Amino acid sequence: MRTVQRRGLALPLLLGVGMACRDTPTTDVTDPPLPECGDGRIDTGEQCDGTSLGGKSCVGEGFDTGTLGCTSSCFLDVSACVRFCGNDTIDTGEGCDGVLGPLTCDTFGFTGCSSECQVDASHCIHPGSSFTGAESRNVAQGGAAAIATAGPGGFGALAVAVPVRSELHITRHSRTGWQSQEQLLGHPGTTPELPLAVDLDGDEWTDLAFIGEDGRVHRDRYDPVAKIYTLALLNDAAACWAHRWVGPLARETAPGMDLVALASCPPTGGAAAPPNAVLLMPAEGGVTPTWVDAPGITSAALADLDGDGTTDILYTATGSSAVHTLVRGGPGFGPGQSYSVEVDPPFVPSQIVAADFDRDGAVDVALSDGAQVVVVERMGTSLTPRATLAGRGTHLLAEDADGDGRTDLLWMDTDVTGAIVRMARNAGDFTFTELSLTTGASGEPLSLSMGDLDADGDLDVAATLASPSGSSTFVFHNRVR
């Protein structure tokens, strides 16, 4: 014991002696449990936990009905939720679902089914509003024209051949209208006559090709960086004289398009010689063009008429009422089946286009003899008429003009107002309704072209007329979109 002396008093200090201390109560402190998935409580970072859904339901998650669940990771499980829209069934409150419903446009254009399963008729318009009025795009001493469809950059172009100046006159177009910049693409030593717009190399940009006055085929590729067309390749078709385009032919083993034209082979007689062959020109340079005999040929189209999975060449011939074919065999084409056309004589077609007009998966054919256009369906080895359309039928085209998924027909004709573009809108089942685009001018039809000038997804029309005072190209802008 230690004693502390203070003012004469001795006070004992008791250290460690229990009698000098009082007991102090103690309390155990336990940390709250850490949040974990599966404890039945919706903690931070969890959408749900077990049967605890926080008041959520399938309807609240954007579905129409069903049972909402929770995954073992505490995220909402909507696998048992049901959304009626998109189930290919028109349920209560829906106007359509997918391709089901009243989606036919009876006027011009198309209807669709919205993401809310309601009919969208905003692109179904009155035929009188289907195209703008004729817009004249005159090029001094110009000739035939072609529309180059807008590429990824959003620019289309109108290419007009100017033979006397050995050039193509190219005017670009965008969603905002014609561009002030024009390109005059000179071709020294040749005379452009018939331009064609086609993606030659498969890069999604539309290139140009043309048949020259010398019967040769020339190509101009589009440079997307410089945004101009550049002189590219010449197919030396000296063994043939190219007369008119048939069109582009998709390549079998590489991207891009080869070119097909009516030609006279050998070229004796030049432009005055009638075509007697089909000329095939590879897209790349350094490859010699080939041709296949087609005696008396007057027009041709590219399509798989016999359904064997390869493209055939269908053609009409002088004095013949039949449609003849050249079928692919190995690297080239050879004579194929001839199909009789069951139209009361005298019917000798001079123009042909091909498409699946009734959407049954088989190719049909449209023919013109210059006085009428007849749509026929292949039945065995014969072609049976399904529709007859009045009109002179020059420069016959088969394109989906109104975007409804059906192939329509267009051709050039005349009426009391002058030259017109006739359009037969395909309503399905070989039923067509007709409308006209009026140029308001007189002249001989020279060319008819379709393409998307203004990058809105619709095909616009360019019709060119020739007259003693010069040619005029009339552009009609499609208004469906």
Side-chain angles (χ1 to χ4, degrees):
M1 175 180 292
R2 238 178 358 115
T3 301
V4 177
Q5 298 290 331
R6 184 171 295 177
R7 292 185 181 182
L9 297 178
L11 297 177
L13 292 178
L14 301 178
L15 300 178
V17 180
M19 60 180 294
C21 302
R22 291 184 179 180
D23 293 336
T24 303
T26 61
T27 303
D28 292 332
V29 177
T30 303
D31 292 333
L34 294 175
E36 62 179 17
C37 182
D39 59 8
R41 297 177 307 189
I42 302 176
D43 301 301
T44 302
E46 297 177 347
Q47 294 179 336
C48 55
D49 198 313
T51 58
S52 299
L53 301 177
K56 299 180 178 71
S57 67
C58 284
V59 174
E61 295 302 308
F63 294 87
D64 296 297
T65 187
T67 302
L68 189 64
C70 189
T71 70
S72 59
S73 302
C74 288
F75 289 96
L76 292 175
D77 179 5
V78 297
S79 60
C81 295
V82 177
R83 182 179 287 116
F84 292 141
C85 184
N87 64 355
D88 294 327
T89 301
I90 301 177
D91 300 293
T92 302
E94 296 179 349
C96 56
D97 198 308
V99 297
L100 301 179
L103 301 179
T104 300
C105 174
D106 294 326
T107 51
F108 190 89
F110 61 92
T111 57
C113 192
S114 71
S115 58
E116 292 78 30
C117 285
Q118 300 301 318
V119 175
D120 177 8
S122 60
H123 301 298
C124 181
I125 61 179
H126 189 277
S129 304
S130 56
F131 287 83
T132 62
E135 178 186 4
S136 179
R137 300 294 301 180
N138 291 334
V139 175
Q141 300 174 307
I147 295 177
T149 290
F155 286 97
L158 180 68
V160 179
V162 188
V164 298
R165 297 202 297 269
S166 298
E167 67 184 22
L168 289 177
H169 185 284
I170 301 168
T171 308
R172 295 197 303 168
H173 197 291
S174 70
R175 293 297 297 267
T176 59
W178 296 100
Q179 304 297 294
S180 58
Q181 180 183 4
E182 297 178 340
Q183 182 182 359
L184 305 179
L185 187 59
H187 293 81
T190 189
T191 302
E193 283 198 334
L194 297 176
L196 176 71
V198 56
D199 180 6
L200 291 168
D201 49 13
D203 64 353
E204 299 184 12
W205 296 92
T206 304
D207 308 301
L208 295 171
F210 69 85
I211 295 175
E213 194 177 50
D214 56 2
R216 297 170 120 186
V217 173
H218 304 254
R219 291 169 168 78
D220 298 317
R221 295 192 185 278
Y222 185 75
D223 182 344
V225 177
K227 296 183 179 180
I228 59 173
Y229 290 88
T230 59
L231 299 178
L233 302 172
L234 161 68
N235 262 131
D236 188 1
C240 294
W241 189 287
H243 291 275
R244 296 187 298 278
W245 290 116
V246 175
L249 175 64
R251 308 184 69 192
E252 291 189 306
T253 58
M257 296 285 184
D258 295 330
L259 297 173
V260 183
L262 303 188
S264 51
C265 307
T268 306
N276 62 2
V278 176
L279 181 63
L280 306 167
M281 292 155 286
E284 72 273 20
V287 180
T288 303
T290 60
W291 74 89
V292 56
D293 290 333
I297 187 170
T298 54
S299 69
L302 303 170
D304 180 14
L305 184 60
D306 55 10
D308 66 352
T310 61
T311 300
D312 309 312
I313 300 173
L314 325 179
Y315 71 94
T316 58
T318 303
S320 174
S321 62
V323 170
H324 309 279
T325 63
L326 300 169
V327 297
R328 190 183 291 274
F333 289 83
Q337 175 74 46
S338 291
Y339 297 83
S340 61
V341 180
E342 298 178 351
V343 178
D344 292 337
F347 181 77
V348 179
S350 57
Q351 291 188 77
I352 182 172
V353 293
D356 182 6
F357 292 109
D358 59 348
R359 298 201 293 185
D360 66 350
V363 170
D364 309 302
V365 174
L367 301 161
S368 172
D369 65 351
Q372 60 185 336
V373 176
V374 179
V375 181
V376 295
E377 181 179 23
R378 183 176 73 86
M379 305 295 290
T381 59
S382 64
L383 299 173
T384 302
R386 298 302 186 202
T388 300
L389 308 165
R392 191 163 59 138
T394 65
H395 300 85
L396 193 61
L397 289 180
E399 298 281 1
D400 181 8
D402 62 349
D404 66 351
R406 300 186 180 98
T407 303
D408 309 304
L409 288 167
L410 296 91
W411 64 92
M412 296 184 73
D413 200 352
T414 57
D415 65 8
V416 294
T417 67
I420 61 173
V421 177
R422 289 195 187 275
M423 185 180 301
R425 179 180 182 259
N426 189 350
D429 298 324
F430 295 110
T431 302
F432 295 85
T433 56
E434 297 184 46
L435 63 148
S436 299
L437 307 179
T438 303
T439 67
S442 299
E444 186 65 22
L446 185 59
S447 66
L448 181 63
S449 176
M450 294 193 77
D452 186 4
L453 266 174
D454 45 15
D456 63 355
D458 294 322
L459 296 180
D460 308 302
V461 176
T464 303
L465 307 176
S467 66
S469 59
S471 66
S472 298
T473 297
F474 297 89
V475 175
F476 302 86
H477 293 278
N478 197 323
R479 286 177 166 173
V480 170
R481 292 181 179 89

